[in-house]
Amino acid sequence: SCYNFENESVEPDVSLHHGNILSPLLKALSEQNPWGEFTPRAKPDSRFVRYMKRLYKLSSKPDKSPEASHLYNTARLITPREECLEQNREFFMQDISYSLNRVRSQEQLLKSVLLYSFDHNHVTPFTSLCYLDVKEQKPSRDQMCSHHLSSTQQSVPLLSFRVHTERRVRRRWVEVDVTSFLHPLIQAHKKDIHLLINLTCVADMVPRPGGQVHKSPVELTHRSPSLLLYLNDTSEVAYQRRATQGRMVDLTSNHWDGKSTAWESASRKRR
Amino acid sequence: GTPKSTNLPETMPKLIPMYDFPTDECDLYDFRVSFSQLKLDHWIIAPQKYNPRYCKGFCPRAVGYIYGSPVHTMVQNIIYEKLDSSVPRPSCVPSEYNPLSVLTIENDGSIAYKEYEEMIATKCTCR
């Protein structure tokens, strides 16, 4: 298969000149001044740049550790484009849209996660139990933010994960796996996706008589999640791992904070 | 540009003495370039350097075993020497490659990790 440039503004004569094997990298290397007109419109947040540099280091090590063995040859971190926040005592509702413009047709989705960074200033170790409710939101034409608090029916089983904070680590990254939910949207090659995300975190404490549950301070300090897509680019210019190399997909482990944040469905937890 | 004299296939029995002096036979050379030199560092944020390496040198007559060359390489050598010197000698070219992983900032502000095929030569052969 040839590299499909439907998303690229490659000058036709250049790609013909190099027989259409031009990856974005070769295009930049081979043209005299290709980067002259390249000025990123939006500069990503340095926190996410640091996060992706760690992913880069782990993924590109020649002697990959078994944990980092993976099959993806592409990963894309997409920060939210639009955001509407609604909050009351019960909910922290976010209406977020992500642009999937850069995802190419040959990039097959392996895993997609919502990447949260929780900042805290606790002195004592603290564990919060967070519940995440995600559903696709049809963009309303006339206004960017349409009010949803009244419509709170769930679209996917509630995802839950724990966030353990301690004094040493001020920022905790959590990847929440939403692959099964996002897969159909990404496979449909949508250019934009609009999600309605409701995240509620409570202090993960043993319920006391009276069942009072305390709202966790963690929820208040998190920012809108970015979308991290792990993809397998099937085009010729991308590195193809041979099956014989015996590397299996192990994208379930969260290899950033040494602990695997595997999501648990509420029903299994009850069981 | 000093040749890496260790460019011998693993299958080579250890009996054969290592080259202890640089020769101009086919070998792998470093070619280090930085993306800032290429004015690409605002797009590629990792790695900072890129060493694609390249192969250079002449192919000795007995090229079979040392370079893992196909048999045809010897045939071409015989054609050059015995039959028609307008047919070129076998050339020293890369035979194996490694991918290159890069981290880029796309123009919509997203961050992409990508692995590109065959961007670093790791072995040379004559053919």
Side-chain angles (χ1 to χ4, degrees):
Chain A
S1 60
C2 291
Y3 197 71
N4 179 344
F5 286 107
E6 64 186 32
N7 293 332
E8 285 294 330
S9 56
V10 167
E11 299 308 318
D13 58 344
V14 169
S15 59
L16 281 178
H17 177 66
H18 289 284
N20 212 16
I21 57 167
L22 214 55
S23 64
L25 180 57
L26 276 181
K27 171 178 173 272
L29 286 172
S30 61
E31 289 174 8
Q32 288 311 310
N33 192 16
W35 45 85
E37 72 276 11
F38 171 72
T39 49
R41 281 195 297 275
K43 239 184 170 350
D45 185 312
S46 59
R47 294 170 308 133
F48 294 112
V49 172
R50 270 199 305 278
Y51 188 85
M52 288 300 281
K53 279 191 173 176
R54 269 182 284 166
L55 183 143
Y56 167 83
K57 280 202 186 92
L58 253 189
S59 308
S60 56
K61 260 189 331 188
D63 55 348
K64 290 187 182 62
S65 62
E67 300 83 56
S69 60
H70 53 275
L71 204 57
Y72 64 90
N73 56 20
T74 301
R76 294 189 177 281
L77 185 119
I78 302 165
T79 45
R81 205 179 48 185
E82 291 167 2
E83 178 186 21
C84 305
L85 291 176
E86 282 181 56
Q87 182 181 1
N88 66 14
R89 270 178 37 79
E90 298 306 314
F91 290 99
F92 190 72
M93 187 76 79
Q94 291 164 309
D95 178 352
I96 298 181
S97 71
Y98 299 94
S99 159
L100 303 182
N101 248 342
R102 303 302 300 170
V103 181
R104 294 186 175 76
S105 54
Q106 288 127 327
E107 294 175 354
Q108 295 169 353
L109 179 70
L110 295 176
K111 179 181 178 184
S112 51
V113 298
L114 287 176
L115 179 64
Y116 279 97
S117 91
F118 290 102
D119 299 340
H120 74 91
N121 50 18
H122 301 161
V123 174
T124 54
F126 198 87
T127 301
S128 301
L129 182 59
C130 296
Y131 296 95
L132 184 68
D133 174 15
V134 182
K135 64 175 155 200
E136 189 188 6
Q137 176 63 15
K138 296 276 176 285
S140 51
R141 267 188 213 297
D142 45 13
Q143 57 179 23
M144 194 178 87
C145 300
S146 43
H147 295 284
H148 315 291
L149 279 182
S150 53
S151 59
T152 56
Q153 80 279 7
Q154 291 182 324
S155 57
V156 292
L158 209 57
L159 300 171
S160 68
F161 56 91
R162 279 191 177 70
V163 180
H164 179 68
T165 52
E166 54 199 59
R167 188 165 60 181
R168 267 181 324 105
V169 181
R170 291 283 169 211
R171 174 169 299 142
R172 180 70 68 191
W173 292 96
V174 175
E175 291 189 6
V176 184
D177 190 335
V178 290
T179 307
S180 53
F181 172 70
L182 277 185
H183 202 272
L185 304 182
I186 306 263
Q187 285 310 86
H189 298 296
K190 286 192 174 187
K191 290 301 165 205
D192 290 292
I193 54 172
H194 291 267
L195 300 181
L196 199 58
I197 298 176
N198 168 16
L199 176 70
T200 307
C201 291
V202 295
D204 190 17
M205 294 190 314
V206 174
R208 289 177 295 181
Q212 262 300 300
V213 176
H214 295 279
K215 202 151 190 199
S216 152
V218 169
E219 170 201 337
L220 297 175
T221 59
H222 74 91
R223 304 219 178 96
S224 307
S226 286
L227 183 60
L228 182 54
L229 305 178
Y230 293 93
L231 304 149
N232 178 36
D233 185 346
T234 56
S235 65
E236 263 182 45
V237 298
Y239 174 57
Q240 307 296 333
R241 260 179 205 77
R242 312 278 175 263
T244 51
Q245 286 174 329
R247 296 267 176 81
M248 291 307 290
V249 175
D250 181 295
L251 294 175
T252 55
S253 70
N254 179 342
H255 40 267
W256 303 126
D257 57 6
K259 290 191 204 59
S260 135
T261 311
W263 69 280
E264 300 164 62
S265 66
S267 55
R268 194 172 74 193
K269 180 156 179 36
R270 265 197 306 281
R271 252 204 323 277
Chain B
T2 52
K4 292 179 63 167
S5 58
T6 54
N7 178 28
L8 290 175
E10 289 81 353
T11 54
M12 180 105 180
K14 297 299 170 228
L15 301 178
I16 295 211
M18 299 288 277
Y19 291 100
D20 50 13
F21 52 88
T23 74
D24 56 4
E25 285 186 4
C26 177
D27 208 343
L28 187 64
Y29 291 85
D30 283 331
F31 183 86
R32 289 193 180 78
V33 66
S34 73
F35 285 116
S36 56
Q37 216 177 325
L38 298 174
K39 297 190 180 54
L40 277 180
D41 51 338
H42 61 281
W43 178 48
I44 296 178
I45 52 180
Q48 295 184 332
K49 293 190 176 55
Y50 170 37
N51 180 8
R53 297 201 179 92
Y54 64 94
C55 297
K56 187 183 77 172
F58 85 91
C59 293
R61 279 180 84 205
V63 292
Y65 195 71
I66 295 178
Y67 293 99
S69 302
V71 173
H72 176 272
T73 308
M74 284 202 188
V75 171
Q76 183 160 342
N77 226 4
I78 293 169
I79 292 173
Y80 167 78
E81 287 186 0
K82 300 266 185 277
L83 301 172
D84 178 353
S85 61
S86 69
V87 170
R89 275 181 176 272
S91 306
C92 172
V93 292
S95 58
E96 284 183 19
Y97 301 90
N98 266 354
L100 170 70
S101 300
V102 292
L103 196 65
T104 57
I105 295 182
E106 308 278 82
N107 57 12
D108 62 1
S110 61
I111 305 173
Y113 165 83
K114 197 81 158 163
E115 295 174 2
Y116 288 105
E117 182 91 338
E118 299 178 346
M119 293 293 282
I120 301 170
T122 55
K123 251 183 197 140
C124 299
T125 186
C126 285
R127 58 173 59 200

